[in-house]
């Protein structure tokens, strides 16, 4: 299910990109962002964790269980400011909800559900800012803030907030006037300590999500 969602977003992004490129371009009716400009982008974002870490006892003994973190698809906002024609900085805002399960052997049980506020700030390099398809790469930091958690099936789970880092690649595709189609992929690395039932069980969880987004942007 997680991979199918990601593939659907990627396919839709490719389709919109091809549509933008197929539009008549003999008379340039689209604009590019330059130093001092903003692009505000509304996106649909798929956040899918690759967590598969062992759950152990407080003493470190194996339980045969591992952590599974469900994906979520939610709207997000991106704010990009152009420091120069080639260098921009982006911040993304949005919250996603994820179910956490303990799995292993015949066990597959939900233990917790939490909302996550994962703002990511990246510094981007744009090699072709004048092009109709303007690719970029970026790197930056993220902060994972867990909130409104709900325990499940008699388990009591706590998760530590903290800092991580991210790499990014994407493209803004000019459509008409100040409007663009945006396709964006981020890989975030983040580790959290999970405590279950007051520390009777624990897991060192590498969430490390892929963040795949497709959106419409406007230059200001």
């Amino acid at each position: 299910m997680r991979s199918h969602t990601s593939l659907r977003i990627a396919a839709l992004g490719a389709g919109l990109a091809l549509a933008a490129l197929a539009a008549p371009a003999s008379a340039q009716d689209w604009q590019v962002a330059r130093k001092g400009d903003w692009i505000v982008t509304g996106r649909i974002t798929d956040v899918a964790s690759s967590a598969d870490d062992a759950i152990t006892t407080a003493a470190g003994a194996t339980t045969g269980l591992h952590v599974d973190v469900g994906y979520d698809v939610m709207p997000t906002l991106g704010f990009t400011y152009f420091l120069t024609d080639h260098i921009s900085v982006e911040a993304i805002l949005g919250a996603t909800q994820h179910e956490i399960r303990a799995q292993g052997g015949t066990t597959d049980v939900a233990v917790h559900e939490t909302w996550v506020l994962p703002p990511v700030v990246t510094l981007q390099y744009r090699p072709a800012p004048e092009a109709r398809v303007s690719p970029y790469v970026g790197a930056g930091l993220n902060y994972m803030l867990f909130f409104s958690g709900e325990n499940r099936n008699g388990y009591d789970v706590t998760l530590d907030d903290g800092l991580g880092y991210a790499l990014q690649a994407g493209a803004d595709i000019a459509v008409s006037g100040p409007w663009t189609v945006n396709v964006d992929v981020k890989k975030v690395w983040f580790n959290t300590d999970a405590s279950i039932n007051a520390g009777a069980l624990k897991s060192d969880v590498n969430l490390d999500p892929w963040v795949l987004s497709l959106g419409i942007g406007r230059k200001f």
Side-chain angles (χ1 to χ4, degrees):
M1 178 74 71
R2 184 180 304 173
S3 60
H4 290 168
T5 302
S6 301
L7 287 172
R8 286 197 299 269
I9 289 180
L12 184 56
L16 287 175
L18 289 172
L21 290 173
S26 55
Q28 182 172 321
D29 63 348
W30 42 273
Q31 304 170 13
V32 297
R34 302 180 185 278
K35 178 181 177 180
D37 288 339
W38 287 86
I39 296 179
V40 178
T41 307
R43 294 172 169 140
I44 296 297
T45 297
D46 177 8
V47 179
S49 172
S50 57
D52 187 30
D53 300 281
I55 298 173
T56 66
T57 67
T62 183
T63 65
L65 300 175
H66 66 270
V67 174
D68 178 79
V69 179
Y71 75 93
D72 196 19
V73 178
M74 296 290 282
T76 59
L77 280 176
F79 301 89
T80 305
Y81 179 72
F82 283 71
L83 301 171
T84 72
D85 289 354
H86 290 273
I87 303 295
S88 55
V89 60
E90 181 198 57
I92 64 167
L93 296 176
T96 54
Q97 188 177 31
H98 302 271
E99 183 182 67
I100 300 172
R101 305 184 69 86
Q103 298 179 337
T106 60
T107 300
D108 184 2
V109 60
V111 298
H112 193 70
E113 189 170 78
T114 184
W115 283 87
V116 185
L117 181 67
V120 181
V121 178
T122 54
L123 188 66
Q124 302 171 332
Y125 173 68
R126 297 171 177 263
E130 300 289 336
R132 186 167 198 176
V133 179
S134 176
Y136 56 82
V137 292
L141 297 174
N142 85 291
Y143 189 85
M144 292 284 187
L145 175 65
F146 301 97
F147 67 99
S148 296
E150 294 185 12
N151 293 312
R152 294 281 188 265
N153 297 308
Y155 292 90
D156 182 10
V157 178
T158 59
L159 302 167
D160 290 344
D161 303 336
L163 282 170
Y165 59 97
L167 294 178
Q168 173 187 38
D172 287 314
I173 304 158
V175 179
S176 179
W179 297 97
T180 58
V181 170
N182 175 260
V183 180
D184 185 270
V185 178
K186 295 181 180 70
K187 177 64 176 179
V188 176
W189 286 269
F190 175 76
N191 174 275
T192 184
D193 291 325
S195 175
I196 305 169
N197 294 346
L201 299 173
K202 63 181 182 178
S203 184
D204 184 21
V205 184
N206 295 294
L207 290 174
D208 299 350
W210 285 97
V211 183
L212 309 179
S213 298
L214 172 67
I216 300 295
R218 190 186 191 283
K219 181 181 76 70
F220 295 91

